[in-house]
């Protein structure tokens, strides 16, 4: 499966709306494709956050009001860009050489300031993210680091062996690894929302252990 | 003339060789698909620990009123099943190999046997056992029926877990699935200490909820003491619901 096809089907995949064959093809592709996995995680995040949004029923009078507003606005919306375009076209762009140089210089200065400001903002954003991560990781004690190291080592070993496995076994492994990873993503989201949540911490640690168990089990093949 | 006689000679030698090779290959192919049967009986003098380790196939364990343990398996010919008896421990396992042959087990045990079941793929059922029960699997639905065990420990990565039985005083029952539902049926008079965790779906305690004391309830977890407390009931479902029923 190619990336474009995979990304086209990802939404249905997350909703569980695909047939088994397509689901398996996607899981195979995801196992080998980092960008598609990242996209899947992004979609999972969106699904997660949308689940947290409160359900609010609009008043019954809202839709007729919106409809009447839209009917009124429609000609204006179409008119506005046309008017702007007409104005731009009516401008006289005959500039002198000093005017053009002054304009170019102004443009260069504005762009330079923009670049400097964005570079200054860069590390601030990163440090903010780092602070949030450090808040999220009261789990990152020696035990957790050891588990992550163990997982990385086992994953490498399993990846090497996987090619020689029976296809049915490989599919079962990838499907179950996906379930564990999905649980870990969910735990991380919940810890992002509430870093002091004991239950999420406990569940996350347990999910890591489960991942170790899964990889150890398949490392024997 | 010479050419003709050589052709006849070649034909007369080659034909039986090719035919026998064909028959051998056909026989081999057929035998590869034929299931093999494994059957053993053990007559232990004391209570034993029985371990069944399988890769692909169902495992059903039943209790009976005999003192013997009987294990039967239907397996693909590519699957090698081995047994080992060391003291009070009996271990039966399928050897892992690159071909994923199937082996279905049916096991009969005295009720007080401690049962350990390990599997990768295939449903698991344990009925009427009073000894310790440990089940670990990757991709299996697990059904524990009429269990009166001092300790039950079930861990599956994906699959539903169903438990129906009693909890022993001072014992523990721990059920966990990463992707699937937990369904637990207990006697109405059961008392226990509950710790239930569901990461993304509901926990439904049914009528047990009304008598749960000292409880803490959050969006993902419920813990508390039901009636007098006692046995520890630990339920964890990551992507699935938890449901408790009264018998």
């Amino acid at each position: 499966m190619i990336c474009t096809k995979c990304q086209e089907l990802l939404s249905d995949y997350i909703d569980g709306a695909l047939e088994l064959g397509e689901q398996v093809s996607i899981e195979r592709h995801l196992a080998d494709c980092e960008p598609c996995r990242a996209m899947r995680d992004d979609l999972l995040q969106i699904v997660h956050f949308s689940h947290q949004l409160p359900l609010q029923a609009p008043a019954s009078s809202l839709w007729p009001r919106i409809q009447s507003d839209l009917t009124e606005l429609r000609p204006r919306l179409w008119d506005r860009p046309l008017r702007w375009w007409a104005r731009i076209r009516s401008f006289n762009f005959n500039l002198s050489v000093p005017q053009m140089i002054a304009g170019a210089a102004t443009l260069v200065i504005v762009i330079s300031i923009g670049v400097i400001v964005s570079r200054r903002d860069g590390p601030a954003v990163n440090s903010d993210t780092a602070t949030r991560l450090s808040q999220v990781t009261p789990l990152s004690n020696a035990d957790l680091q050891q588990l992550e190291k163990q997982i990385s080592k086992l994953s490498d070993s399993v990846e090497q062996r996987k090619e020689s496995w029976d296809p049915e076994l490989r599919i079962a492994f990838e499907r179950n690894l996906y379930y564990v990873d999905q649980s870990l993503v969910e735990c991380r989201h919940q810890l992002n929302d509430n870093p002091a949540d004991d239950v999420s911490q406990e569940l996350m640690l347990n999910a890591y252990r489960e991942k170790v168990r899964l990889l150890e089990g398949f490392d024997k093949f | 003339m010479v050419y003709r006689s050589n052709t006849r000679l070649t034909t007369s030698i080659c034909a039986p060789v090719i035919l026998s090779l064909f028959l051998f290959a056909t026989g081999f192919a057929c035998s590869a698909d034929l299931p093999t049967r494994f059957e053993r009986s053990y007559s232990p003098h004391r209570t034993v620990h029985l371990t069944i380790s399988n890769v692909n196939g169902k495992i059903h364990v039943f209790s009976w009123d005999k003192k013997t343990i009987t294990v039967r398996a239907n397996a693909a010919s590519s699957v090698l099943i081995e047994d080992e008896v060391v003291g009070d421990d009996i271990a039966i396992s399928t050897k892992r190999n690159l071909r994923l042959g199937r082996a279905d087990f049916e096991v009969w045990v005295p009720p007080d046997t401690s049962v350990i079941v390990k599997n990768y793929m295939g449903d698991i059922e344990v009925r009427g056992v009073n000894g310790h029960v440990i089940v670990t699997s990757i991709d299996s639905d697990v059904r524990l029926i009429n269990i009166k065990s001092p300790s039950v420990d079930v861990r599956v990565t994906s699959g539903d877990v169903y438990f129906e039985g009693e909890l022993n005083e001072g014992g523990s029952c721990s059920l966990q699935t990463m992707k699937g539902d937990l369904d637990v049926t207990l006697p109405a008079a059961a008392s226990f200490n509950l710790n239930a965790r569901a990461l993304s779906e509901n926990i439904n305690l049914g009528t047990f909820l009304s008598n749960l004391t000292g409880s803490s309830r959050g969006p993902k977890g419920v813990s508390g003491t039901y009636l007098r407390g006692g046995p520890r009931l630990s339920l964890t479902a990551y992507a699935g619901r938890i449901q408790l029923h009264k018998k």
Side-chain angles (χ1 to χ4, degrees):
Chain A
M1 180 179 276
I2 55 168
C3 290
T4 47
K5 180 73 181 165
C6 175
Q7 289 168 9
E8 213 172 88
L9 294 173
L10 262 180
S11 183
D12 286 341
Y13 172 68
I14 285 167
D15 293 340
L18 291 180
E19 286 181 2
L20 188 64
E22 284 178 316
Q23 192 184 333
V24 167
S25 307
I26 284 200
E27 279 164 6
R28 277 188 184 164
H29 179 80
L30 287 172
D32 298 327
C33 181
E34 180 62 38
C36 287
R37 273 205 302 273
M39 190 169 171
R40 176 199 66 192
D41 290 346
D42 287 347
L43 284 172
L44 280 171
Q45 273 192 10
I46 292 165
V47 170
H48 168 78
F49 287 118
S50 63
H51 280 166
Q52 289 183 331
L53 291 172
L55 283 173
Q56 288 177 342
S60 55
S61 61
L62 185 66
W63 179 240
R65 220 163 57 221
I66 291 171
Q67 206 166 14
S68 67
D69 285 355
L70 282 172
T71 321
E72 278 177 28
L73 277 172
R74 198 172 292 151
R76 283 186 223 160
L77 283 169
W78 280 107
D79 285 352
R80 202 172 289 167
L82 290 173
R83 262 187 258 155
W84 274 101
W85 181 238
R87 275 188 204 172
I88 288 165
R89 286 189 67 183
S90 68
F91 276 153
N92 186 0
F93 283 105
N94 290 335
L95 299 171
S96 65
V97 174
Q99 276 175 326
M100 280 170 75
I101 292 169
T106 312
L107 198 66
V108 167
I109 290 165
V110 166
I111 289 169
S112 306
I113 290 168
V115 167
I116 291 164
V117 167
S118 69
R119 280 191 180 172
R120 273 188 191 169
D121 285 350
V125 170
N126 289 341
S127 67
D128 184 40
T129 312
T131 314
R132 277 175 57 201
L133 280 173
S134 67
Q135 281 169 354
V136 169
T137 51
L139 281 172
S140 63
N141 49 28
D143 282 350
L144 190 60
Q145 282 172 4
Q146 201 178 337
L147 278 170
E148 280 173 347
K149 207 184 281 179
Q150 199 178 352
I151 285 167
S152 164
K153 200 175 164 186
L154 283 165
S155 297
D156 291 345
S157 171
V158 169
E159 280 301 317
Q160 284 173 0
R161 291 163 181 267
K162 215 167 67 173
E163 292 309 310
S164 61
W165 292 350
D166 188 291
E168 200 185 339
L169 186 73
R170 205 181 312 144
I171 289 165
F173 167 73
E174 280 163 5
R175 189 176 53 231
N176 282 282
L177 185 65
Y178 169 68
Y179 293 148
V180 178
D181 284 339
Q182 214 175 11
S183 297
L184 281 165
V185 168
E186 185 65 26
C187 288
R188 280 192 204 106
H189 285 154
Q190 304 220 359
L191 279 171
N192 273 329
D193 297 343
N194 183 7
D197 182 4
D198 290 344
V199 175
S200 295
Q201 287 185 20
E202 178 195 318
L203 287 169
M204 187 160 174
L205 197 62
N206 199 36
Y208 269 114
R209 289 200 184 107
E210 195 59 26
K211 191 165 180 177
V212 170
R213 186 178 76 87
L214 178 78
L215 289 166
E216 276 178 345
F218 280 91
D219 194 36
K220 290 170 185 164
F221 282 95
Chain B
M1 194 70 178
V2 173
Y3 176 76
R4 267 188 180 178
S5 67
N6 271 350
T7 311
R8 273 185 197 159
L9 186 69
T10 313
T11 312
S12 62
I13 293 169
C14 285
V17 170
I18 291 167
L19 188 66
S20 55
L21 277 172
F22 174 75
L23 289 172
F24 176 75
T26 313
F28 183 77
C30 289
S31 72
D33 291 330
L34 281 177
T36 55
R37 198 168 170 83
F38 172 93
E39 184 161 349
R40 297 279 188 283
S41 279
Y42 310 89
S43 300
H45 299 294
R46 287 182 294 181
T47 305
V48 297
H49 294 92
L50 174 70
T51 304
I52 309 281
S53 304
N54 195 12
V55 174
N56 180 23
K58 65 183 180 188
I59 304 172
H60 288 185
V61 181
F62 309 101
S63 70
W64 62 3
D65 54 4
K66 296 179 185 174
K67 296 282 182 194
T68 54
I69 291 173
T70 296
V71 179
R72 285 186 195 138
N74 285 316
S77 58
S78 60
V79 177
L80 178 66
I81 303 174
E82 293 178 334
D83 68 330
E84 190 180 18
V85 182
V86 180
D88 298 333
D89 293 333
I90 299 171
I92 292 147
S93 57
T94 55
K95 295 287 279 181
R96 293 180 201 89
N97 65 31
L98 296 177
R99 288 183 66 189
L100 193 68
R102 192 179 166 92
D104 294 325
F105 282 88
E106 286 197 334
V107 183
W108 287 267
V109 297
D112 57 353
T113 308
S114 290
V115 178
I116 300 165
V117 178
K118 298 174 185 174
N119 204 359
Y120 281 76
M121 289 179 279
D123 295 345
I124 296 165
E125 187 171 312
V126 181
R127 278 178 183 263
V129 170
N130 301 343
H132 301 272
V133 176
I134 298 172
V135 176
T136 52
S137 185
I138 304 296
D139 201 338
S140 304
D141 285 337
V142 178
R143 288 176 65 79
L144 306 180
I145 297 160
N146 192 21
I147 302 293
K148 294 168 187 165
S149 172
S151 75
V152 175
D153 191 357
V154 178
R155 274 169 181 267
V156 291
T157 308
S158 65
D160 297 333
V161 180
Y162 175 84
F163 176 91
E164 183 268 295
E166 294 174 16
L167 303 172
N168 276 20
E169 190 65 40
S172 66
C173 177
S174 174
L175 313 174
Q176 179 184 299
T177 175
M178 305 289 285
K179 174 80 176 174
D181 298 334
L182 295 183
D183 199 305
V184 178
T185 302
L186 298 170
S191 61
F192 51 87
N193 290 314
L194 175 72
N195 187 14
R197 308 273 186 244
L199 184 66
S200 53
E201 290 195 37
N202 295 338
I203 300 172
N204 185 351
L205 300 184
T207 49
F208 283 108
L209 184 65
S210 55
N211 283 320
L212 201 70
T213 54
S215 62
S216 65
R217 287 172 210 171
K220 296 179 290 293
V222 179
S223 54
T225 302
Y226 184 74
L227 298 180
R228 303 175 310 282
R232 295 183 305 282
L233 178 61
S234 171
L235 309 172
T236 310
Y238 281 79
R241 64 184 175 79
I242 297 175
Q243 184 115 28
L244 253 71
H245 308 273
K246 276 184 184 172
K247 202 174 175 182

